[in-house]
Amino acid sequence: MPPESPEKPFFRDSSYQDAYFTTHDLKTRGWTLTMIQKLLPDHDAEKENYMRYQGRYGSRQIQHPVKLYDQDRIKQLEDSEDFFVLYEKAQKALLRGAKRRETVLEQKRQLIEMTLDSYHPEIHIELGWHLNLRQYKETLRSCLLLWQQAHIPSDMVEEAVPLLKAKFLEAYQQSKEKRTGKRKKNHLVRSA
């Protein structure tokens, strides 16, 4: 017969969920930290925090207890005028932040496009493939450094690098075709 399992810790027991909200629960309901600090300066109960974080010398338990807020109290506050005022401010701030992020991303896209448009590789066929490739790699390194300093997201960089490479390969092929075209013309002139 297996031994009796020990009693579950309070955080795994769902009994507190019938009467209390955690800070995480409040955030999922639309609360912000500022709203919690202004409207709920004191919490109603605490429970031990069993979460652990990985430290340098092994995992350690988080020392701060989980704050619990009475559900009835929260529901009354959510119907109050103060809550609606703070909630509206929070929503406006979220919209401003989203617009700002879109603006910044658009500026970063424009920087990539400007860099790609300004790249016109100089191909010297007589130097050979490897020296031309070396020049391309130096250009690529400088572009990557510029994009890294501008904090451009990696997915945008991953889309831009193949375009830069395609421009180099296209310019190389065109230069190669021009040179072979000149050789054919010279050969035709000599044979005539």
Side-chain angles (χ1 to χ4, degrees):
M1 186 165 178
E4 285 187 30
S5 61
E7 192 173 319
K8 291 181 180 178
F10 185 51
F11 84 105
R12 290 194 180 121
D13 184 16
S14 61
S15 62
Y16 78 92
Q17 294 176 345
D18 297 333
Y20 295 105
F21 286 129
T22 63
T23 306
H24 176 74
D25 295 333
L26 292 178
K27 287 181 181 178
T28 58
R29 293 173 69 89
W31 288 69
T32 63
L33 280 177
T34 305
M35 293 168 66
I36 293 171
Q37 289 169 354
K38 287 185 179 180
L39 297 176
L40 300 166
D42 298 320
H43 50 279
D44 299 312
E46 290 181 349
K47 69 178 180 79
E48 188 175 350
N49 194 342
Y50 288 92
M51 290 186 65
R52 301 181 75 78
Y53 68 92
Q54 198 64 30
R56 185 173 181 177
Y57 300 107
S59 65
R60 297 173 186 233
Q61 187 170 349
I62 295 175
Q63 299 298 319
H64 304 290
V66 176
K67 296 177 182 176
L68 300 174
Y69 301 93
D70 185 42
Q71 286 186 4
D72 295 330
R73 180 177 163 209
I74 297 301
K75 290 174 183 174
Q76 286 176 352
L77 278 171
E78 287 177 349
D79 291 335
S80 70
E81 180 82 22
D82 295 338
F83 177 81
F84 283 115
V85 170
L86 291 173
Y87 185 78
E88 288 296 319
K89 283 184 182 179
Q91 294 305 310
K92 288 177 184 175
L94 284 173
L95 285 174
R96 282 194 309 271
K99 286 181 184 177
R100 177 68 183 141
R101 281 189 292 279
E102 286 177 24
T103 304
V104 168
L105 273 177
E106 186 57 35
Q107 290 172 349
K108 291 178 180 184
R109 274 191 207 98
Q110 288 174 356
L111 176 66
I112 286 181
E113 288 174 10
M114 188 175 66
T115 307
L116 290 174
D117 291 342
S118 66
Y119 177 60
H120 301 290
E122 289 186 31
I123 304 295
H124 304 285
I125 290 293
E126 63 277 359
L127 295 177
W129 166 256
H130 295 291
L131 291 177
N132 284 303
L133 185 63
R134 186 178 297 159
Q135 289 177 350
Y136 160 73
K137 286 184 177 180
E138 289 172 7
T139 304
L140 178 63
R141 275 192 218 102
S142 64
C143 288
L144 290 174
L145 182 64
L146 173 71
W147 295 338
Q148 182 183 12
Q149 290 170 346
H151 302 288
I152 293 179
S154 60
D155 59 334
M156 292 171 75
V157 171
E158 288 172 5
E159 291 174 10
V161 169
L163 297 174
L164 199 68
K165 186 176 181 180
K167 279 186 109 172
F168 166 73
L169 291 173
E170 183 181 341
Y172 188 83
Q173 288 296 335
Q174 288 175 353
S175 296
K176 195 173 176 182
E177 288 171 5
K178 285 180 186 176
R179 180 157 183 167
T180 55
K182 286 181 184 177
R183 283 188 179 172
K184 287 180 182 177
K185 286 181 185 176
N186 289 341
H187 182 66
L188 291 175
V189 169
R190 287 182 190 165
S191 63

